Amino acid sequence: MPTRRLLLLHLLAVAGAAVPADGRRLLPWDDAGAVLRLPSEAAAAAAGCEMTYGFLPCTDTAVGNMFLILAYGFLMFKAATYLSAGSELLLQILGPGIVGGLFLPILGALPDAMLILVSGLSGSKEVAQSQVLIGMGLLAGSTVMLLTLLWGSCVVVGKCDLSENSTATDSRDTKGFSLFGSGVSTDVQTSYAARIMAISVLPFIIVQIPKIFRLHSGHHLTVLLGLIIAALLVLAYCLYQIFQPWIQRRRLEYARLKHVMSGVLRHAQMHVFGRLLDEDGSPNISVIEKLFHKIDQDNDGKLERGELQAFIIGVKFEDIDLDSNVAADQVMADFDTSQNYAIEKEEFVNGILRWLEEAKRSVSSSGAYSKKFLQDFHTRTRDEHNLLLGKDDEDDEGIEYPTWTCFKAISLLLLGTAMAAAFADPLVDAVHNFSNATSIPSFFISFIAMPLATNSSEAVSAIIFASRKKQRTLSLTFSEVYGGVTMNNTLCLAVFLALVYTRGLTWDFSSEVLIIFLVCTIMGLFTSFRTNFPLWTCFIAYLLYPLSLIMVYVLDFKFGWS
């Protein structure tokens, strides 16, 4: 007992000695500079940092700001996730026309646009001029990351064997990492999206005219002209998304396959002996094999197209007009990985497992397993298919619980927008403070770290989609990548130029504009005139990322471009 008392008195003495003159108690690791300060505003100012909104924690140390960057970056990631989930629900309610063409591209670029806006909106003009470099770093980093790291990763994940005419064979990946024997293929429409992306760099060229021709005046005018051109390009791109028919046809084709998936899975769940998933959500392989033997009418251990079509007819998609011939072709193309015009048991089991994972992922954004997820998946795919066909007859059942779905969509969109607006400013401050604490230029921090927060959700989704190893899904994936870059070059740049114009800031980002222009032009030209990409092409994309960083460093710090 005396020993315990002595120990307690010793700890109290140490704690008392750790209280400085300002009354702020230091933690044991405070000497290392890693503690976050959550004091009063006066104490925070004395410590050398300013709390955002007057209550969020701040620090003037490198480790502390690194923690804040990670924390606020995660919150921005969640904001992007909520915006994506709300957009998908909104797509179910209103259809893909205006929503898919107008709202979805804008909402996808909202976190980046919000960070760019707050980077130069608050504080004095001098503070805004120093912090706006963070917004430019995000803009350049997001564009470069999408076209280099993400593009190359999609090629690696989605690679298939290349045939004699250099076209990728769907779902066949037997050549490993052969640089010339494996790769990906896209459709010709995807190359059109790449051309649009290349054209979208036009506002960057316009705003750089005074620098290119070394003019001493006209900088403010060219910023305004670039802003107008960027806004017009946003409008033109959204209208193109709304009215261009091939986009709707591509979505409809995939929606049909998803509805076939949901119908087959629901039929199997209801009519095969046993459940497809166990109580914990893990797949029941024996039940899937029973379904295979049920479809295999001649018991030869493989499913021919006729057997598959007979089964699909028996499913009776009573709530939708479905061509059984088209449905059978789609299932054969999706399951027949050996390309022998028959589906073996292993191919069938693997295909059903893929379908179950996609159904769970489509229905539950949280990843939680629900026993009624197959019915939810069936309802969602039916509604999506009907909306793409323009069906809104009174006889249709429509979306189940439309009021709740609408409320949930609006709530997610509002929550995502509010989080993006609330945490963009403290994230920019944390990056700025980390730059001051480490003497690392804020551009490089925002170039590398911030795109991970705002684009990681879309990047993970794109890689998962590419892993299906189908030309159709890869075309959708790369189209989304090119579309994201297009919105960066138009909407996000428009926000940036509006900020520079209204606040009278100096446009001095020649090296940053140059790397955006070079990466977009190189990848745009490279992907605009070809549809087949062997595995070696991923190295072109990967190498452009470090080369971009090196180029900015050399131009800014060796040649003094800015």
Side-chain angles (χ1 to χ4, degrees):
M1 196 66 164
T3 303
R4 292 182 179 178
R5 290 178 179 174
L6 289 173
L7 179 61
L8 178 60
L9 290 172
H10 176 71
L11 291 175
L12 289 174
V14 171
V19 179
D22 62 357
R24 181 176 64 85
R25 191 173 303 277
L26 299 181
L27 296 180
W29 55 87
D30 197 40
D31 290 336
V35 66
L36 295 180
R37 303 188 178 104
L38 197 59
S40 65
E41 291 190 38
C49 66
E50 182 178 353
M51 294 188 293
T52 308
Y53 308 134
F55 65 90
L56 289 180
C58 72
T59 176
D60 56 356
T61 65
V63 177
N65 278 296
M66 174 62 74
F67 173 80
L68 288 178
I69 291 173
L70 293 175
Y72 294 136
F74 174 76
L75 292 171
M76 289 298 293
F77 162 75
K78 295 300 294 183
T81 303
Y82 293 143
L83 286 170
S84 176
S87 300
E88 290 182 2
L89 291 176
L90 198 64
L91 182 64
Q92 294 181 54
I93 300 169
L94 301 179
I98 295 179
V99 175
L102 181 60
F103 291 115
L104 295 190
I106 293 176
L107 289 172
L110 183 61
D112 283 354
M114 198 72 69
L115 281 166
I116 291 170
L117 180 64
V118 302
S119 67
L121 195 61
S122 59
S124 64
K125 182 177 177 180
E126 290 73 19
V127 172
Q129 187 68 55
S130 64
Q131 287 195 349
V132 79
L133 188 61
I134 298 174
M136 176 53 71
L138 170 63
L139 180 59
S142 178
T143 295
V144 173
M145 188 195 78
L146 289 173
L147 287 178
T148 58
L149 300 183
L150 181 57
W151 193 94
S153 299
C154 288
V155 171
V156 174
V157 172
K159 67 181 178 62
C160 298
D161 295 347
L162 296 180
S163 61
E164 294 181 357
N165 60 353
S166 299
T167 302
T169 304
D170 284 356
S171 302
R172 179 181 291 179
D173 186 15
T174 62
K175 297 182 180 180
F177 290 91
S178 173
L179 296 181
F180 297 92
S182 63
V184 300
S185 294
T186 61
D187 55 25
V188 67
Q189 286 84 1
T190 305
S191 64
Y192 300 158
R195 294 174 192 176
I196 294 173
M197 176 195 71
I199 295 173
S200 67
V201 299
L202 180 61
F204 284 105
I205 300 174
I206 292 174
V207 79
Q208 282 296 116
I209 288 177
K211 296 287 185 181
I212 295 173
F213 295 100
R214 298 183 179 181
L215 303 177
H216 299 289
S217 61
H219 294 76
H220 207 54
L221 179 61
T222 53
V223 168
L224 177 60
L225 182 59
L227 169 60
I228 295 172
I229 297 299
L232 291 176
L233 286 176
V234 172
L235 178 61
Y237 180 70
C238 291
L239 291 175
Y240 174 80
Q241 289 277 77
I242 293 171
F243 296 110
Q244 186 62 23
W246 67 266
I247 297 175
Q248 306 301 323
R249 285 197 299 268
R250 177 183 286 174
R251 290 174 176 171
L252 178 58
E253 181 184 357
Y254 186 65
R256 283 173 177 160
L257 175 60
K258 287 176 67 177
H259 195 71
V260 172
M261 292 165 52
S262 67
V264 170
L265 292 175
R266 189 182 66 155
H267 179 85
Q269 185 86 334
M270 295 172 61
H271 297 91
V272 179
F273 299 104
R275 299 180 62 86
L276 290 174
L277 296 177
D278 294 329
E279 292 295 327
D280 60 351
S282 59
N284 193 329
I285 304 298
S286 62
V287 172
I288 299 175
E289 291 178 345
K290 288 180 182 179
L291 176 61
F292 175 84
H293 292 299
K294 180 179 179 179
I295 303 174
D296 184 17
Q297 298 176 355
D298 57 7
N299 297 317
D300 62 349
K302 57 184 178 182
L303 305 181
E304 284 82 13
R305 186 186 178 283
E307 293 173 319
L308 200 58
Q309 186 176 357
F311 172 72
I312 291 173
I313 293 174
V315 172
K316 295 180 180 179
F317 295 87
E318 68 280 351
D319 54 354
I320 193 172
D321 295 329
L322 192 69
D323 189 333
S324 61
N325 287 302
V326 175
D329 290 338
Q330 287 183 312
V331 177
M332 286 292 295
D334 201 44
F335 280 25
D336 184 19
T337 56
S338 62
Q339 302 292 317
N340 63 347
Y341 304 102
I343 301 174
E344 284 79 19
K345 182 190 291 187
E346 184 180 359
E347 292 176 329
F348 183 82
V349 172
N350 291 335
I352 293 295
L353 292 178
R354 267 199 328 269
W355 282 9
L356 287 170
E357 285 300 317
E358 183 155 351
K360 286 194 290 186
R361 187 173 61 86
S362 298
V363 172
S364 177
S365 59
S366 63
Y369 167 64
S370 170
K371 292 182 178 179
K372 60 187 290 288
F373 85 98
L374 285 179
Q375 180 58 42
D376 295 338
F377 182 58
H378 180 76
T379 301
R380 176 174 293 190
T381 56
R382 179 200 61 206
D383 296 333
E384 182 181 346
H385 184 274
N386 287 338
L387 285 168
L388 284 166
L389 287 176
K391 291 185 177 182
D392 54 359
D393 299 331
E394 294 181 0
D395 294 335
D396 290 338
E397 295 181 12
I399 298 176
E400 190 176 7
Y401 310 121
T403 304
W404 166 248
T405 303
C406 183
F407 173 77
K408 185 177 180 180
I410 295 174
S411 299
L412 287 171
L413 291 174
L414 290 177
L415 178 60
T417 304
M419 288 182 64
F423 296 110
D425 193 18
L427 177 57
V428 170
D429 289 341
V431 171
H432 186 70
N433 293 334
F434 182 80
S435 174
N436 292 335
T438 60
S439 299
I440 300 174
S442 58
F443 171 85
F444 294 104
I445 302 171
S446 56
F447 185 97
I448 297 172
M450 294 177 72
L452 296 177
T454 58
N455 294 300
S456 55
S457 177
E458 291 79 2
V460 171
S461 178
I463 291 175
I464 292 174
F465 215 47
S467 66
R468 292 183 62 87
K469 298 181 180 294
K470 303 283 186 180
Q471 185 189 69
R472 178 184 63 254
T473 53
L474 283 163
S475 297
L476 278 169
T477 298
F478 286 117
S479 294
E480 291 296 322
V481 171
Y482 303 147
V485 175
T486 301
M487 292 305 291
N488 282 346
N489 294 343
T490 54
L491 177 63
C492 293
L493 178 62
V495 172
F496 194 94
L497 292 177
L499 188 65
V500 172
Y501 183 80
T502 55
R503 298 216 63 183
L505 304 179
T506 302
W507 177 267
D508 195 8
F509 307 105
S510 298
S511 58
E512 293 83 359
V513 170
L514 180 61
I515 64 168
I516 294 174
F517 174 78
L518 288 178
V519 171
C520 288
T521 302
I522 292 172
M523 294 301 295
L525 293 175
F526 185 63
T527 57
S528 293
F529 301 101
R530 60 185 303 164
T531 56
N532 300 317
F533 302 95
L535 184 59
W536 63 264
T537 59
C538 73
F539 291 105
I540 295 178
Y542 284 145
L543 286 173
L544 285 174
Y545 189 82
L547 287 177
S548 299
L549 285 171
I550 294 172
M551 185 178 298
V552 171
Y553 176 79
V554 171
L555 293 178
D556 281 353
F557 297 96
K558 300 299 181 181
F559 292 96
W561 275 33
S562 62

